[in-house]
Amino acid sequence: MKAIVIYYSQSCGNTRKIAEMIGLTTGADLCEIQTAEDYGSDYDAVMSKARDEINSGFIPEIKPLTADLSQYDTVIIGTPTWWYTMAPAVRAFMRQYDLTGKRVYAFQTHGGQPGRALKDIRMLSKGENIGDFAVEFDSMGGSNMKTTLDELRAWIAAIQ
Ligand SMILES: Cc1cc2nc3c(=O)[nH]c(=O)nc-3n(C[C@H](O)[C@H](O)[C@H](O)COP(=O)(O)O)c2cc1C
C-alpha cells in the first residue's frame, strides 16, 4: 500500500503528534492541511470563531495540498474535534479532494466530547471507509493524552 496521513492541527499539536506517530509506525507520508487565514493563538477567540463557522456552515479557504493524492491508495485523515465535529479546514479538504477508490481511515483528537466528527467524515468520504479511532486528550485543550498508548498502538497496527 502507499499511504498518506492528511491532518489538520491547530491548538497544541495533538493531532500532528498522532499523525507523526502513524507516519513513523506505518511508513505513511504526512501532509498538513493549512488554512489560508490563520486562526491565531487566542484559545477563546478561536473557540468563538469556530462556533460561528460551524453553526453557519462556513468553509474556510485552505492552501493547496503539498502532496499529490493520486499517488496514494490509502488516506488516513486526522482532525481535532471542533464543536463536536471535524474542524472546518478538514471539511474544506473533504469537499475539495475526491477520495473515490481509496481506502480511508480517520482519527480525531478530542477533549472528552468526541461528538459526531468521525461519523461526519465517513458521510463526506466517497472512499471505502475502513476504520476510525478517537484519541482523548485533556478536557481543557491540553496535550496530556488520556487514551492509553496500548489502545492507540493497536489501532495503528491494524492500518494496512
Ligand atoms: C475551536 C475548538 C473547539 C473544540 N471543540 C471540542 C469538542 O466539541 N469536543 C471536545 O472533546 N474537544 C473540543 N476541543 C478540544 C480539541 O478537540 C482538542 O484539544 C484537540 O486535541 C486539539 O487538537 P490540535 O492540538 O491538533 O489542534 C475544541 C478545541 C477548539 C480549539
Side-chain angles (χ1 to χ4, degrees):
M1 80 165 178
K2 187 140 192 253
I4 186 165
V5 188
I6 308 274
Y7 69 96
Y8 176 68
S9 191
Q10 200 273 335
S11 307
C12 50
N14 290 343
T15 315
R16 179 178 302 115
K17 234 182 303 176
I18 304 300
E20 287 171 353
M21 195 171 159
I22 296 169
L24 277 175
T25 313
T26 66
D29 291 338
L30 296 185
C31 181
E32 183 169 2
I33 299 168
Q34 292 179 311
T35 50
E37 204 179 299
D38 198 61
Y39 280 89
S41 53
D42 179 332
Y43 194 76
D44 291 340
V46 176
M47 286 297 263
S48 104
K49 186 169 167 34
R51 187 182 51 217
D52 291 348
E53 288 187 357
I54 288 163
N55 284 344
S56 68
F58 175 80
I59 305 288
E61 192 185 327
I62 56 171
K63 296 181 182 171
L65 290 187
T66 53
D68 173 6
L69 288 195
S70 70
Q71 302 302 307
Y72 299 90
D73 50 40
T74 300
V75 175
I76 304 145
I77 301 166
T79 184
T81 307
W82 278 19
W83 294 101
Y84 316 108
T85 186
M86 73 192 87
V90 177
R91 195 172 286 273
F93 160 75
M94 299 297 295
R95 283 213 178 169
Q96 280 175 40
Y97 291 85
D98 187 354
L99 303 179
T100 302
K102 299 191 191 297
R103 309 172 76 248
V104 178
Y105 292 85
F107 69 93
Q108 67 178 153
T109 64
H110 67 93
Q113 298 188 68
R116 57 178 195 280
L118 293 173
K119 186 170 163 232
D120 288 350
I121 289 178
R122 279 199 302 274
M123 272 168 53
L124 284 181
S125 161
K126 294 187 192 128
E128 184 195 349
N129 300 302
I130 314 276
D132 43 43
F133 192 66
V135 189
E136 183 174 356
F137 284 85
D138 300 90
S139 59
M140 296 309 288
S143 55
N144 183 31
M145 193 170 85
K146 292 191 155 180
T147 298
T148 68
L149 212 44
D150 279 353
E151 281 177 284
L152 177 58
R153 284 195 180 124
W155 182 69
I156 295 175
I159 295 174
Q160 50 187 345

